Amino acid sequence: MNRKLYSKLIFDHSRAGRRGFDLPRYQRDDSLSTLPSQLMREEAPLLPEVDEPTVVRHYTNQSTNNFGVDTGFYPLGSCTMKYNPKLNDALAADRVIAGLHPRQPMQTVQGALEIYWTLQRSLSEIGGMAEFTLNPFAGAHGELTGLMVIHAYHDSRNDPARTRVIVPDSAHGTNPASAAVAGYEVVEVKSLPDGTVDVDDLRAKLDHTIAAVMMTNPNMVGMFEKHIPEIAEAVHGAGALLYYDGANLNPMLGVARPGDMGFDVMHINLHKTFSTPHGGGGPGAGPVGVRKGLEQFLPNPRVVRRDDGTFTVEQNNDCALGRISSWLGNYTVFVRALAYILTLGAEGVAQVGPLATLNANYVLNALKDRYLLPIPGPCKHEFVFDGLIDKSTGVTTLNIAKRLLDMGFHAPTIYFPLLFHESLMIEPTETESRETLDAFIEAMRQIADEAAENPEIVRTAPHDTPAVHPDDTEAALHPTVKYADLCDRPTT
Ligand SMILES: *Cc1c(COP(=O)(O)O)cnc(C)c1O
């Protein structure tokens, strides 16, 4: 039986009374229970009744149905799905590190606090910032924290008129969302045909009501914003602060620092650039850095080094934000990030950005005769095609993405950014070999050939995956999460 079919049929193996184990029957003593009787189950739950080999095969097969960066190339634009060295996972799982308790006395966790403090210093160096907090749990959480810092700064200057935040139309969706959650009105600024921010449009929108301008650089189409010094001057001249969305800091490593470009506040996604595997919602970390003069607004608590070289956790000063996370954030993510930085060393870290950029341009150049490149290269770490050049075949970006699955590759990011109709956003990262990139290029070229010669095969793809054409909307609106529901519904 093929794997696909096997996974699908597994619950049909259920037979009343079939068991993988046999335990003595439990005699329920209701008098010992603290559960109110109306909450107690009257009947046994409806679960598949199967033998142990069937259960083991079911879950083992399920575990291989997922695509991960450990199973293949994952060119998902804007996500930096690079390979994360196993050494860093092993360290994070070490009993001594994973077994710590947040309420342990300070003198027993000096090593952990040193890891925390050293990472704060390393990120400050990498970002060109004065100070970092590691507390936020994700990129979006970092954005919110950064905007709260900006809010606290304007409050400290008795400047309550600043109620709006400028966000480019190409920004990641979390930018306007974070600004709205932080209580700001969002003002959109346009992009030019080359994908960079329209500086004239930006200037026209800068006034005394603007608290901050959020920028991503390289931006969401993989282009470097060349006018940053000019933008920084205009933003500061209007009394606003400049925020750097560094979720995707990868291309900048070893090349440039946001602090040097004039950014005041930034966040970094450790789960993209700094070696924490991601996807599926966590765990992650979105540390926030600030330039000199804004340190006092960072959230509590903070890890500091005392003059005698020991470390402690402080709740200090009046202007600091309160807690934005439980304890000090996602500690094992920090362990991975610091291990990654220390194993690469300054020299290795400095190669990440240039190699990520080289790989992206290699793929771009090998495909631009078949795929439409609306913004000419060279790009930074990623680039966007607007579907195939030949639109007459009717083959869409969705079809191309699905056909790639048949060929053993994860799909690129599709239909984002919203600047083009058929966006196909590719980010190869620095960790892929020339051979892997060549195989991907060959697959993409084959799809272009198929689209011309036999478009049906692309339009009906994928042909070889456990799920073929799930209804995304239906799955989001009515997720099937219970076995009992699965029994009443046909599965795809
Ligand atoms: C991934 C990403 C984010 C959001 O990060 P999360 O950790 O998913 O909240 C924000 N901005 C950019 C540019 C990103 O790529």
Side-chain angles (χ1 to χ4, degrees), residues 41 60 128 132 159 243 292 308 484-485:
R41 199 186 267 288
T60 306
F132 255 88
D159 191 357
Y243 185 93
K292 201 159 178 44
D308 65 0
D485 293 345

Side-chain angles (χ1 to χ4, degrees), residues 78-79 138-141 143 172 174-175 216 220 245 247-248 267 269 271-272:
S78 183
C79 288
H141 195 195
E143 290 169 28
H172 194 274
T174 50
N175 289 190
T216 309
M220 298 304 292
D245 178 344
N248 237 315
H267 81 272
N269 279 19
H271 48 290
K272 285 178 180 165

Side-chain angles (χ1 to χ4, degrees), residues 108-159:
T108 69
V109 292
Q110 285 295 305
L113 296 180
E114 185 170 1
I115 289 176
Y116 199 103
W117 185 84
T118 311
L119 183 61
Q120 281 176 179
R121 292 317 316 149
S122 305
L123 295 181
S124 301
E125 183 58 36
I126 286 169
M129 292 281 153
E131 190 61 85
F132 255 88
T133 173
L134 307 186
N135 297 5
F137 287 126
H141 195 195
E143 290 169 28
L144 177 63
T145 305
L147 289 164
M148 286 162 69
V149 166
I150 289 171
H151 205 287
Y153 162 79
H154 291 306
D155 278 353
S156 77
R157 296 161 45 94
N158 283 324
D159 191 357

